[in-house]
Amino acid sequence: MATKKPENMDFESALAELESLVDQLEEGDLSLEQSLKSFERGVQLVRAGQQRLSQAEQQVQILLHQDDELAPFALAEEQ
């Protein structure tokens, strides 16, 4: 199966793959070449994840600034 590009993966999938790579690297059973490939893939996943988080943060900021005066929710008892 072909490996998806990190930028085409959702955040949760990229994080799960990254955690798996870290586990494999920590076990120490990989060859040097396999370790380097796994490390490179991990760096790609981290960068893609950081980009997704940055985009989400920007979206939250935009949503918050659209309506600077959000009205508090009224509790049923107050009505």
Side-chain angles (χ1 to χ4, degrees):
M1 182 172 101
T3 304
K4 278 188 170 181
K5 291 183 178 183
E7 58 271 12
N8 295 335
M9 298 173 71
D10 62 54
F11 180 80
E12 291 78 11
S13 297
L15 184 60
E17 184 179 342
L18 181 60
E19 289 173 344
S20 175
L21 288 172
V22 169
D23 289 342
Q24 290 174 11
L25 288 166
E26 286 179 342
E27 287 176 11
D29 295 333
L30 300 175
S31 68
L32 178 60
E33 186 173 313
Q34 290 171 324
S35 295
L36 288 173
K37 285 183 181 182
S38 294
F39 181 77
E40 180 180 6
R41 176 71 175 173
V43 168
Q44 293 170 351
L45 290 165
V46 166
R47 288 181 179 153
Q50 287 174 332
Q51 184 178 13
R52 292 253 188 232
L53 287 173
S54 178
Q55 290 170 346
E57 182 179 13
Q58 289 173 357
Q59 187 175 5
V60 167
Q61 290 299 324
I62 289 169
L63 292 170
L64 289 176
H65 290 299
Q66 283 180 351
D67 190 8
D68 287 333
E69 295 183 24
L70 296 175
F73 289 107
L75 297 176
E77 298 168 359
E78 294 175 2
Q79 295 178 352

